[in-house]
Coordinates of all heavy atoms in Angstrom, one line a residue:
M23 N 93.4 101.7 111.5 CA 93.9 103.0 111.0 C 94.2 103.0 109.5 O 94.7 102.0 109.0 CB 95.2 103.4 111.8 CG 95.0 103.6 113.3 SD 94.0 105.0 113.7 CE 95.0 106.4 113.0
N24 N 93.8 104.1 108.9 CA 94.2 104.3 107.4 C 94.9 105.6 107.4 O 94.5 106.6 107.4 CB 92.9 104.3 106.6 CG 93.1 104.5 105.2 OD1 94.3 104.8 104.8 ND2 92.1 104.4 104.4
C25 N 96.4 105.4 107.3 CA 97.2 106.7 107.4 C 98.4 106.5 106.6 O 98.8 105.4 106.0 CB 97.3 107.0 108.8 SG 98.2 105.7 109.8
G26 N 99.3 107.5 106.7 CA 100.7 107.3 106.0 C 100.7 107.5 104.5 O 101.7 107.2 103.9
W27 N 99.6 108.1 103.9 CA 99.6 108.3 102.5 C 100.6 109.5 102.0 O 100.9 109.6 100.9 CB 98.2 108.7 102.1 CG 97.3 107.5 102.1 CD1 96.4 107.2 103.1 CD2 97.3 106.3 101.2 NE1 95.8 106.0 102.8 CE2 96.4 105.4 101.8 CE3 97.9 106.1 100.1 CZ2 96.0 104.3 101.0 CZ3 97.6 104.9 99.4 CH2 96.7 104.1 99.9
G28 N 101.0 110.2 103.0 CA 101.9 111.2 102.7 C 101.5 112.2 101.6 O 100.4 112.7 101.7
T29 N 102.4 112.3 100.5 CA 102.0 113.2 99.4 C 101.2 112.5 98.4 O 100.8 113.1 97.3 CB 103.2 113.9 98.8 OG1 103.9 112.8 98.1 CG2 104.1 114.6 99.8
G30 N 100.9 111.3 98.6 CA 100.1 110.5 97.5 C 98.7 110.2 97.8 O 98.2 109.1 97.3
G31 N 98.1 111.0 98.7 CA 96.8 110.6 99.2 C 95.6 110.9 98.2 O 94.7 110.0 98.1
F32 N 95.4 111.9 97.5 CA 94.2 112.1 96.6 C 94.2 111.1 95.6 O 93.1 110.6 95.3 CB 94.4 113.5 96.0 CG 93.3 113.9 95.1 CD1 92.0 114.2 95.6 CD2 93.4 113.8 93.7 CE1 90.9 114.4 94.7 CE2 92.4 114.0 92.8 CZ 91.1 114.4 93.4
K33 N 95.2 110.7 94.8 CA 95.1 109.8 93.8 C 94.8 108.4 94.3 O 94.2 107.6 93.5 CB 96.6 109.6 93.2 CG 97.6 109.1 93.9 CD 99.0 109.1 93.3 CE 99.6 110.3 93.0 NZ 100.2 111.0 94.2
A34 N 94.8 108.2 95.7 CA 94.4 106.9 96.2 C 93.1 106.8 96.8 O 92.6 105.7 97.3 CB 95.5 106.5 97.3
I35 N 92.3 107.9 96.8 CA 91.1 107.9 97.5 C 90.1 106.8 97.2 O 89.8 106.0 98.2 CB 90.4 109.3 97.4 CG1 91.1 110.3 98.2 CG2 88.9 109.3 97.8 CD1 90.6 111.8 97.9
P36 N 89.7 106.5 96.2 CA 88.7 105.4 95.8 C 89.4 104.0 96.2 O 88.8 103.2 96.9 CB 88.4 105.4 94.4 CG 88.8 106.8 93.9 CD 89.9 107.2 94.7
G37 N 90.6 103.8 95.8 CA 91.2 102.5 96.2 C 91.4 102.3 97.6 O 91.3 101.2 98.2
S38 N 91.9 103.3 98.3 CA 92.1 103.3 99.8 C 90.7 103.0 100.4 O 90.6 102.1 101.4 CB 92.7 104.6 100.3 OG 92.4 104.9 101.6
G39 N 89.6 103.8 100.0 CA 88.3 103.5 100.7 C 87.8 102.0 100.5 O 87.3 101.5 101.3
W40 N 88.1 101.6 99.2 CA 87.7 100.2 98.8 C 88.4 99.2 99.8 O 87.7 98.3 100.3 CB 88.0 100.0 97.3 CG 87.7 98.6 96.8 CD1 88.3 97.4 97.0 CD2 86.5 98.4 95.9 NE1 87.7 96.4 96.3 CE2 86.7 96.9 95.7 CE3 85.6 99.1 95.3 CZ2 85.8 96.3 94.8 CZ3 84.7 98.5 94.3 CH2 84.8 97.2 94.1
A41 N 89.7 99.3 99.8 CA 90.5 98.5 100.7 C 90.2 98.6 102.2 O 90.1 97.5 102.8 CB 92.0 98.6 100.3
F42 N 90.0 99.8 102.7 CA 89.9 99.9 104.2 C 88.5 99.5 104.5 O 88.2 99.0 105.6 CB 90.1 101.4 104.5 CG 90.4 101.6 106.1 CD1 91.2 100.8 106.7 CD2 89.6 102.6 106.6 CE1 91.4 101.1 108.1 CE2 89.8 102.9 108.0 CZ 90.7 102.1 108.8
A43 N 87.6 99.7 103.6 CA 86.0 99.2 103.8 C 86.1 97.8 104.1 O 85.4 97.2 105.0 CB 85.2 99.6 102.8
E44 N 86.9 96.9 103.3 CA 87.0 95.5 103.4 C 87.6 95.1 104.8 O 87.1 94.2 105.4 CB 87.8 94.9 102.3 CG 87.8 93.4 102.2 CD 88.6 92.9 101.1 OE1 89.2 93.7 100.3 OE2 88.5 91.6 100.9
T45 N 88.6 95.9 105.2 CA 89.3 95.7 106.4 C 88.3 95.9 107.6 O 88.3 95.1 108.5 CB 90.6 96.5 106.6 OG1 91.4 96.4 105.5 CG2 91.4 96.2 107.8
L46 N 87.5 97.0 107.5 CA 86.6 97.3 108.6 C 85.5 96.2 108.6 O 85.1 95.8 109.7 CB 86.0 98.6 108.5 CG 86.9 99.8 108.9 CD1 86.3 101.1 108.4 CD2 87.1 99.9 110.4
A47 N 85.0 95.9 107.5 CA 83.8 94.9 107.4 C 84.2 93.5 107.9 O 83.3 92.9 108.7 CB 83.3 94.9 106.0
K48 N 85.4 93.1 107.6 CA 85.7 91.7 107.8 C 86.6 91.5 109.1 O 86.9 90.4 109.6 CB 86.5 91.1 106.6 CG 85.7 91.0 105.4 CD 86.5 90.5 104.2 CE 85.6 90.3 103.0 NZ 86.5 89.7 101.8
G49 N 87.1 92.7 109.6 CA 88.0 92.7 110.6 C 89.5 92.2 110.4 O 90.3 92.2 111.2
E50 N 89.6 91.8 109.1 CA 91.0 91.5 108.6 C 91.4 92.1 107.2 O 90.3 92.3 106.5 CB 91.2 90.0 108.4 CG 91.0 89.2 109.7 CD 92.3 89.3 110.5 OE1 93.3 89.6 110.0 OE2 92.2 89.1 111.8
P51 N 92.6 92.6 107.0 CA 92.7 93.2 105.6 C 92.6 92.3 104.5 O 93.0 91.1 104.6 CB 94.2 93.7 105.8 CG 94.8 92.8 106.9 CD 93.8 92.4 107.8
G52 N 92.1 92.7 103.4 CA 91.9 91.9 102.3 C 93.3 92.0 101.4 O 94.3 92.5 101.9
E53 N 93.1 91.5 100.2 CA 94.3 91.4 99.2 C 95.0 92.8 99.0 O 96.3 92.8 99.0 CB 93.9 90.7 98.0 CG 95.1 90.4 97.1 CD 94.7 89.7 95.8 OE1 93.5 89.3 95.6 OE2 95.5 89.4 94.8
L54 N 94.2 93.7 98.8 CA 94.8 95.1 98.4 C 95.5 95.6 99.7 O 96.6 96.2 99.6 CB 93.8 96.0 98.1 CG 93.4 96.0 96.6 CD1 92.3 97.0 96.3 CD2 94.5 96.4 95.8
A55 N 94.9 95.5 100.8 CA 95.5 96.2 102.1 C 96.4 95.3 102.8 O 97.3 95.9 103.6 CB 94.3 96.5 103.0
A56 N 96.4 94.0 102.8 CA 97.3 93.2 103.5 C 98.7 93.6 103.6 O 99.4 93.5 104.7 CB 97.2 91.6 103.0
P57 N 99.4 93.9 102.5 CA 100.8 94.3 102.5 C 101.1 95.6 103.4 O 102.2 95.8 103.7 CB 101.2 94.6 101.1 CG 100.2 93.9 100.4 CD 99.0 94.0 101.1
F58 N 100.1 96.4 103.7 CA 100.3 97.7 104.2 C 100.0 97.7 105.8 O 99.8 98.8 106.4 CB 99.3 98.7 103.6 CG 99.6 99.0 102.2 CD1 98.9 98.3 101.1 CD2 100.7 99.7 101.8 CE1 99.2 98.6 99.8 CE2 101.1 99.8 100.4 CZ 100.3 99.3 99.4
G59 N 100.1 96.6 106.5 CA 100.1 96.5 108.0 C 101.2 97.3 108.6 O 102.3 97.2 107.9
M60 N 101.0 97.8 109.7 CA 102.1 98.5 110.3 C 103.2 97.6 111.0 O 104.2 98.0 111.3 CB 101.6 99.5 111.4 CG 101.0 98.9 112.6 SD 100.6 100.3 113.8 CE 99.7 99.4 115.0
E61 N 102.8 96.2 111.0 CA 103.8 95.3 111.5 C 104.9 95.1 110.6 O 106.0 94.5 110.9 CB 103.1 93.9 111.8 CG 102.6 93.2 110.5 CD 101.3 93.6 110.0 OE1 100.7 94.5 110.5 OE2 101.0 93.1 108.8
R62 N 104.9 95.6 109.4 CA 105.9 95.5 108.4 C 107.3 96.3 108.8 O 108.4 95.9 108.5 CB 105.6 96.0 107.0 CG 105.4 97.6 106.8 CD 105.0 97.8 105.4 NE 104.9 99.3 105.2 CZ 103.9 100.1 105.3 NH1 102.8 99.6 105.6 NH2 104.1 101.4 105.0
F63 N 107.0 97.2 109.8 CA 108.2 97.9 110.2 C 108.9 97.1 111.3 O 110.2 97.4 111.4 CB 107.8 99.3 110.7 CG 107.1 100.3 109.7 CD1 105.8 100.5 109.6 CD2 108.0 100.8 108.8 CE1 105.3 101.3 108.6 CE2 107.5 101.7 107.8 CZ 106.1 101.9 107.7
I64 N 108.3 96.3 111.9 CA 108.9 95.4 112.9 C 109.6 94.2 112.1 O 110.7 93.8 112.5 CB 107.9 94.8 114.0 CG1 107.3 95.8 114.6 CG2 108.6 93.8 114.8 CD1 106.1 95.4 115.5
E65 N 109.0 93.8 111.1 CA 109.4 92.5 110.3 C 110.5 93.0 109.2 O 111.1 92.1 108.6 CB 108.3 91.8 109.6 CG 107.2 91.4 110.6 CD 105.9 91.0 110.0 OE1 105.8 91.1 108.7 OE2 105.1 90.5 110.6
G66 N 110.7 94.3 109.0 CA 111.5 94.7 107.9 C 111.1 94.4 106.6 O 111.8 94.4 105.6
R67 N 109.7 94.4 106.4 CA 109.1 94.0 105.2 C 108.6 95.4 104.5 O 107.5 95.6 104.4 CB 107.9 93.0 105.4 CG 107.2 92.6 104.2 CD 106.2 91.5 104.4 NE 105.4 91.9 105.7 CZ 104.4 92.6 105.7 NH1 104.0 93.3 104.6 NH2 103.7 92.9 106.7

């Protein structure tokens, strides 16, 4: 899932696509996407 951009979505389009494409291709988030996993809400991160 790629979501939660709230009111900041348009400015992020190329960077979001770049990071999410890497996540889809490799099955694991890359450096840009790694901090934005939804497990952060369980971990308090």
